[in-house]
Amino acid sequence: MTESIDLDKLLVGRMPEMYKCLQCKCLLKRPLQCKNGHVCCESDWRIMFNKNKKECHECRVAISGVDALARNIYLEEGLGKLKIYCPNSFINLQREAEDGGCEETITIGSIETHLNICLFTEINCANSSNCGKIRRGEMGTHIEQCQYEIKKCECNHSFIRKDMEEHKAKICPETLIECEYCNMKFKRIDLGDHIDEDCPKKEISCPYSKYSCEFKTNRGEMQNHLDHYDHLVLVKNRCDYLESLLKGLESTVLTLKQHSESNLNILKNQIKDINEQNKYSSKWIIHNWSDKVKKYQKGQCLASPVFNISQTKKFNIRVYPNGEKENKLTISLCKQFDSKCKVNYRFEVINFDYSQSIFQGTNVYYSNIIYEDWNNTKGFLIDNTLTIGFNIKIEKLYGDYMTTA
């Protein structure tokens, strides 16, 4: 601590020559001597050795380094007893202590001890280095108003002093706030409930405002209004109005219900019509069947008249008496248009004994062909006539497209 202090300027009285450094001519600091007794400050010896001067500058005796020098205990003790002014005295050129400085006179040997208790020594604030250096004697006063001291608020949260004021002014639920109506003070956390429920000076509407009472006054005077005005008339008028409104709504609901039922029936009929438009049921009666079997060889077909399921969707049925590829009766549903579709159909080769009739049906895309075994014609021909019943329904259309031959 004392290394940076200029002791020469703090000496009380003149500097004794025996304590003057032979090199720098200042008061000795950490004196060391050569073997012939010439004394200099340790720092001056080191400066000389750093310049490669390995000898005493007085007697020129060779010296290898600082370790070859000796301490002078006598001089050290004498130096420690020299009187100086406290470094915190702020001595002016006239050797008078300036106002606000330490007036103590101490010895060089007691500098560190004194500075550790001197009320004028500048030290750091315990709260924050942002406060800068503060004299020890003024630290108590500084701490009392230090902006960085941590304080605990009534709400049990801690803040540094400089933030506490804003916290209390804007946030703290425990801070007392004055009611703008009655001027009484309440905790911030309770003020809202006070204004909404209790404040006698807060203007409020009559509790019967929903029944058209437009009276307003402060809460403390509202009871007087309630005691002197009969609100039952307003309540009755409101009930009559609501009853009338309810009847009107019931009538509207009944009308809407009737319209919806009517529209629903129309929609059902429209759906039914659409479904019927995409259906077709009939029978194809083929006379002189035995002649047809002889006339149409395998791979040759007999075609029914074309029938329409809708305006543009035409179909017919083809029968191969001797089969298309195999020697089996083959019945095929064929469409006469180009667009893709999904068809649900059912064929019935009618037998005299209805329980023996042959049913066949499936869903088809394009014009799929079905095959039916024809091993026995017993009961299927009546007066040499074959009857084929069919039911056809277009399930889905996939759009028209054009083809080129």
Side-chain angles (χ1 to χ4, degrees):
M1 181 183 295
T2 60
E3 295 298 325
S4 60
I5 299 176
D6 189 350
L7 299 177
D8 296 59
K9 295 181 179 180
L10 299 175
L11 279 172
V12 177
R14 296 176 60 84
M15 182 192 305
E17 289 295 323
M18 66 180 298
Y19 297 121
K20 183 184 293 187
C21 175
L22 295 175
Q23 185 66 20
C24 66
K25 308 304 181 183
C26 297
L27 192 66
L28 285 166
K29 291 182 180 180
R30 297 178 60 84
L32 296 175
Q33 65 183 24
C34 71
K35 64 182 181 179
N36 291 327
H38 297 110
V39 183
C40 292
C41 301
E42 179 182 337
S43 59
D44 291 319
W45 285 112
R46 291 186 180 278
I47 292 172
M48 184 177 64
F49 293 149
N50 288 337
K51 296 179 179 180
N52 291 323
K53 293 181 179 181
K54 305 292 185 180
E55 59 182 19
C56 175
H57 55 80
E58 293 292 329
C59 63
R60 306 301 179 188
V61 65
I63 304 173
S64 60
V66 174
D67 293 339
L69 299 171
R71 293 175 59 190
N72 189 319
I73 304 300
Y74 174 76
L75 284 177
E76 290 180 2
E77 291 179 352
L79 282 168
K81 295 178 181 180
L82 290 178
K83 294 285 186 177
I84 61 171
Y85 297 104
C86 173
N88 297 321
S89 63
F90 309 110
I91 297 298
N92 59 26
L93 296 178
Q94 285 74 40
R95 293 289 186 179
E96 296 177 356
E98 295 180 354
D99 292 341
C102 179
E103 298 181 357
E104 292 282 340
T105 299
I106 59 177
T107 63
I108 291 177
S110 64
I111 288 180
E112 292 193 12
T113 301
H114 173 72
L115 292 180
N116 285 332
I117 60 173
C118 180
L119 298 180
F120 295 90
T121 299
E122 293 184 339
I123 59 176
N124 289 321
C125 173
N127 296 319
S128 174
S129 59
N130 292 329
C131 297
K133 298 286 186 178
I134 312 293
R135 285 181 175 182
R136 180 178 283 109
E138 298 174 353
M139 186 59 72
T141 302
H142 167 76
I143 290 295
E144 291 178 358
Q145 57 188 10
C146 177
Q147 295 300 299
Y148 293 93
E149 183 184 17
I150 297 177
K151 305 289 288 183
K152 191 169 185 178
C153 180
E154 294 88 343
C155 64
N156 290 325
H157 290 84
S158 297
F159 303 88
I160 60 176
R161 180 180 272 111
K162 72 172 187 175
D163 294 336
M164 181 66 76
E165 184 176 348
E166 182 177 5
H167 166 71
K168 284 181 171 292
K170 297 181 179 180
I171 301 174
C172 181
E174 299 295 320
T175 299
L176 293 178
I177 307 294
E178 185 177 281
C179 173
E180 60 182 300
Y181 302 104
C182 65
N183 298 325
M184 296 180 64
K185 291 187 176 181
F186 298 88
K187 291 181 178 181
R188 178 179 278 110
I189 193 173
D190 299 327
L191 182 60
D193 290 340
H194 163 73
I195 293 175
D196 293 340
E197 300 176 9
D198 302 320
C199 181
K201 299 296 183 180
K202 175 70 167 62
E203 184 180 77
I204 61 173
S205 298
C206 174
Y208 291 91
S209 60
K210 61 182 178 180
Y211 299 109
S212 302
C213 181
E214 298 180 354
F215 182 79
K216 292 183 179 181
T217 188
N218 61 55
R219 183 178 280 109
E221 298 177 1
M222 182 58 72
Q223 188 59 47
N224 183 55
H225 165 71
L226 296 176
D227 293 341
H228 291 83
Y229 188 87
D230 184 7
H231 290 86
L232 293 180
V233 175
L234 295 178
V235 175
K236 182 180 183 303
N237 292 339
R238 184 65 175 177
C239 290
D240 292 342
Y241 167 75
L242 292 177
E243 183 178 2
S244 174
L245 182 62
L246 179 60
K247 290 181 179 179
L249 291 175
E250 289 176 345
S251 176
T252 301
V253 170
L254 179 59
T255 301
L256 291 175
K257 182 178 179 181
Q258 292 173 346
H259 287 170
S260 64
E261 291 177 349
S262 175
N263 291 335
L264 180 60
N265 291 330
I266 291 173
L267 181 60
K268 288 180 178 180
N269 291 332
Q270 290 176 345
I271 294 174
K272 181 178 179 181
D273 291 342
I274 291 172
N275 290 333
E276 292 299 327
Q277 289 175 4
N278 291 330
K279 291 182 179 180
Y280 188 82
S281 299
S282 186
K283 293 181 180 180
W284 182 18
I285 300 174
I286 304 174
H287 300 286
N288 301 317
W289 175 253
S290 58
D291 294 340
K292 304 299 190 292
V293 173
K294 295 177 181 179
K295 180 179 178 180
Y296 295 94
Q297 303 299 313
K298 184 171 68 173
Q300 295 179 332
C301 67
L302 174 64
S304 73
V306 174
F307 52 88
N308 293 353
I309 295 183
S310 66
Q311 292 182 354
T312 59
K313 303 302 180 279
K314 299 180 179 182
F315 293 84
N316 74 338
I317 299 173
R318 296 177 185 177
V319 174
Y320 296 81
N322 292 293
E324 183 182 14
K325 296 181 179 179
E326 302 179 20
N327 293 324
K328 300 176 182 178
L329 175 66
T330 302
I331 305 174
S332 174
L333 174 65
C334 299
K335 62 185 181 68
Q336 304 298 317
F337 53 92
D338 290 332
S339 58
K340 297 179 181 179
C341 66
K342 180 179 180 181
V343 179
N344 185 291
Y345 68 93
R346 183 171 184 251
F347 288 144
E348 176 188 1
V349 183
I350 299 175
N351 194 288
F352 179 79
D353 180 358
Y354 184 75
S355 64
Q356 299 299 316
S357 295
I358 300 175
F359 297 90
Q360 183 69 33
T362 185
N363 292 331
V364 299
Y365 297 86
Y366 308 107
S367 55
N368 290 354
I369 299 173
I370 65 168
Y371 298 93
E372 178 60 45
D373 289 344
W374 189 253
N375 297 323
N376 191 340
T377 60
K378 183 177 180 180
F380 290 100
L381 298 178
I382 302 173
D383 295 330
N384 200 27
T385 298
L386 181 68
T387 302
I388 301 173
F390 56 91
N391 295 297
I392 300 172
K393 180 181 179 182
I394 298 177
E395 297 287 352
K396 189 172 184 180
L397 297 173
Y398 293 91
D400 294 337
Y401 64 91
M402 298 179 64
T403 61
T404 302

